[in-house]
Amino acid sequence: MAPAAVPVAATASELTVSAMKADLAKSTKPQLDASKLTYTFNKHGGVVPALDDPIRREHNSSTDHMLTVKWTEKGGWEAPQLRPYGHLDIMPTASCIHYATQAFEGMKAYRGVDGKLRLFRPDLNCKRMNLSSTRIALPAIDPEQLEELVKNFVSVDCPKWLPNAETFIYLRPAVIASGAALGVQKPREATLFIIAVLFPPMEIMNGMRLLASKEDMGVRAWPGGHGWSKVGANYGPTLQAQGEARERGFDQILWLLGSEGRVTEAGASNFFVVWKNKTSGRLELITAPLGDKIILDGVTRRSVIELAKSRLSHNPTEVLKEVQHLEKLDVVEQSYTIDDIAEAYESGRLVEAFACGTAFFVAPISYIQHEVEKGIEVPMNTTTADGCKSGAYAAAIKTWLKEIMYGKVSHPWGVVINERGAQ
Ligand SMILES: *Cc1c(COP(=O)(O)O)cnc(C)c1O
């Protein structure tokens, strides 16, 4: 007898979104509530290191405070606490240490040219955090309340820790299964926290060199997996390959999928190529699609797509003088392979490539190694105002994003934060 037809399951994110809505609606437990935030200020605050202090390269210096919120299955969300930065109180049996029950976000706070403090599209990070948390059986997190908590945290620590115009600080909201419970089961306790970490100023980058992944390096994400969510479990298993790539003089891995070598992401950044379409000859900005849940729905990726559609496409909704000399393009979210890029390169159709994400911003690509003897020299035909080599499209998009982040233009994506300081 033929096996019964298996019903087509809803996609993972549909399941988690609806699960979240149902959970939130039926839950009688206290919800995450930013208005209950309490403040205990640090009386022994640290010294803010200079922008060129090498300590910033360690990515381990935090600000004076952290924000924590505890959740239990029985009691729901407790009142959020802003308190001095310090250790988290968890036992060696905590689930997050053993089973990767952890999800996180990466955002930045920016100090504008006008002296104001801004976040960039924080609503998108907060929605994604909720999806990631529920993907690994941690509680639903009301995105609006989380956004309010991030804003409160930034408004306390950034007046002191982000003093210089046109600089940023990295924000890391995370949620962990913090309860002592070694059994392999759905967590009954969790801790949500927000910290801020100092980064060195953005380096002048003359193009990243990528090493295309081979099967023996593993795959970052796969159909039906969790590559689309920002959960800690996605990153640990990639670090061995990344370390080897660094030793061989590459900046990042270009993660391919399957024997056909589908291009997915570069390191923990989304990846874009500008080329002339092989059949139509039309200029395209192409990136992997979200539909198959392999790649992360990056806030920067979305912003690049939206800006390219409104300012660089054949039907622009905004006409900007500075890109009038650039050929118009089609924005395409579609699967493509490393061989497609190699072929475009060999036939002179490859225009440029770049990676993008909050951490490394928009990073032009100069080279992709995909076979032992064969590399792709990616063109970088422009020199930007700050002396970087880049493709012209990456340079334009980067400039536009910077203008929004640093308040050179007023734009709904740049959200101004009030400053209260630690008092
Ligand atoms: C965080 C991340 C990105 C970039 O996302 P942004 O929201 O733009 O910062 C891309 N890919 C992966 C795998 C990531 O973890």
Side-chain angles (χ1 to χ4, degrees):
M1 204 175 78
V6 178
V8 180
T11 63
S13 87
E14 278 163 7
L15 284 178
T16 52
V17 170
S18 52
M20 185 275 294
K21 284 192 183 133
D23 262 15
L24 279 180
K26 75 169 188 254
S27 173
T28 51
K29 304 280 161 28
Q31 305 283 318
L32 185 60
D33 185 351
S35 73
K36 295 206 172 113
L37 179 62
T38 62
Y39 296 83
T40 310
F41 293 117
N42 192 338
K43 296 201 178 65
H44 312 280
V47 176
V48 183
L51 288 176
D52 59 359
D53 192 321
I55 197 163
R56 287 178 180 262
R57 302 196 170 279
E58 307 290 324
H59 297 107
N60 63 5
S61 305
S62 294
T63 55
D64 291 335
H65 299 94
M66 61 185 183
L67 193 154
T68 60
V69 202
K70 202 173 155 194
W71 170 90
T72 61
E73 191 181 66
K74 283 211 179 91
W77 289 99
E78 297 178 2
Q81 299 181 332
L82 188 133
R83 54 190 174 116
Y85 181 83
H87 293 177
L88 290 172
D89 181 19
I90 59 171
M91 297 302 276
T93 45
S95 165
C96 63
I97 301 176
H98 303 275
Y99 309 123
T101 38
Q102 188 269 10
F104 66 100
E105 267 309 317
M107 329 171 49
K108 284 174 176 172
Y110 304 87
R111 175 72 67 189
V113 289
D114 55 358
K116 289 187 183 156
L117 206 51
R118 283 181 182 77
L119 294 172
F120 182 77
R121 309 188 83 178
D123 54 322
L124 297 182
N125 293 94
C126 295
K127 282 184 195 149
R128 189 171 66 190
M129 177 105 162
N130 177 49
L131 290 178
S132 302
S133 181
T134 48
R135 175 66 183 84
I136 44 165
L138 287 170
I141 297 169
D142 183 328
E144 284 170 18
Q145 297 303 313
L146 176 61
E147 187 177 338
E148 206 46 43
L149 291 174
V150 171
K151 287 177 177 169
N152 278 303
F153 174 69
V154 164
S155 91
V156 168
D157 263 355
C158 289
K160 169 176 168 184
W161 288 88
L162 187 58
N164 303 92
E166 288 194 79
T167 61
F168 65 87
I169 195 164
Y170 187 81
L171 304 170
R172 169 54 57 88
V175 59
I176 55 174
S178 50
L182 198 63
V184 182
Q185 63 186 15
K186 193 174 170 187
R188 300 209 174 101
E189 267 183 56
T191 301
L192 168 68
F193 62 90
I194 305 170
I195 55 172
V197 180
L198 304 182
F199 273 31
M202 202 66 83
E203 280 173 32
I204 307 282
M205 292 237 265
N206 273 319
M208 288 212 294
R209 294 166 54 83
L210 302 182
L211 177 62
S213 69
K214 297 269 182 299
E215 272 167 23
D216 63 357
M217 295 176 183
V219 285
R220 193 199 87 85
W222 48 88
H226 34 81
W228 56 272
S229 60
K230 231 169 161 73
V231 297
N234 283 332
Y235 301 85
T238 68
L239 300 180
Q240 179 66 18
Q242 195 226 41
E244 280 171 28
R246 290 261 161 94
E247 277 167 27
R248 292 174 53 191
F250 295 96
D251 297 294
Q252 283 296 347
I253 301 272
L254 181 62
W255 290 105
L256 305 181
L257 178 67
S259 52
E260 71 276 28
R262 271 163 63 188
V263 177
T264 62
E265 302 196 63
S269 303
N270 292 113
F271 184 73
F272 285 82
V273 171
V274 181
W275 66 18
K276 286 236 150 80
N277 184 287
K278 187 171 149 185
T279 31
S280 69
R282 285 168 73 97
L283 191 66
E284 290 178 344
L285 173 67
I286 187 167
T287 195
L290 298 175
D292 51 11
K293 302 258 177 285
I294 307 292
I295 64 159
L296 196 85
D297 182 356
V299 176
T300 323
R301 175 186 179 280
R302 270 195 202 211
S303 307
V304 166
I305 289 173
E306 290 170 28
L307 287 174
K309 283 186 176 164
S310 65
R311 299 179 180 184
L312 294 167
S313 71
H314 296 276
N315 306 307
T317 51
E318 296 171 85
V319 177
L320 280 90
K321 257 211 302 267
E322 71 258 28
V323 285
Q324 266 173 10
H325 64 288
L326 289 179
E327 189 181 336
K328 299 285 182 282
L329 46 70
D330 300 320
V331 181
V332 185
E333 294 174 72
Q334 233 168 54
S335 259
Y336 62 105
T337 67
I338 187 72
D339 289 340
D340 293 333
I341 304 180
E343 210 185 308
Y345 167 60
E346 277 150 25
S347 55
R349 290 182 290 106
L350 182 60
V351 177
E352 62 177 88
F354 59 91
C356 70
T358 300
F360 295 102
F361 199 31
V362 177
I365 307 297
S366 59
Y367 182 78
I368 306 169
Q369 180 84 41
H370 69 113
E371 280 170 34
V372 181
E373 300 286 321
K374 264 195 185 112
I376 301 169
E377 303 275 356
V378 186
M380 295 202 297
N381 295 328
T382 303
T383 305
T384 62
D386 49 5
C388 300
K389 283 237 174 297
S390 173
Y393 293 95
I397 290 167
K398 191 171 176 175
T399 304
W400 293 332
L401 288 171
K402 264 196 190 163
E403 283 172 355
I404 300 171
M405 290 161 174
Y406 291 115
K408 292 176 192 170
V409 296
S410 160
H411 193 285
W413 293 351
V415 179
V416 175
I417 307 298
N418 293 325
E419 306 195 47
R420 65 164 283 170
Q423 52 196 299

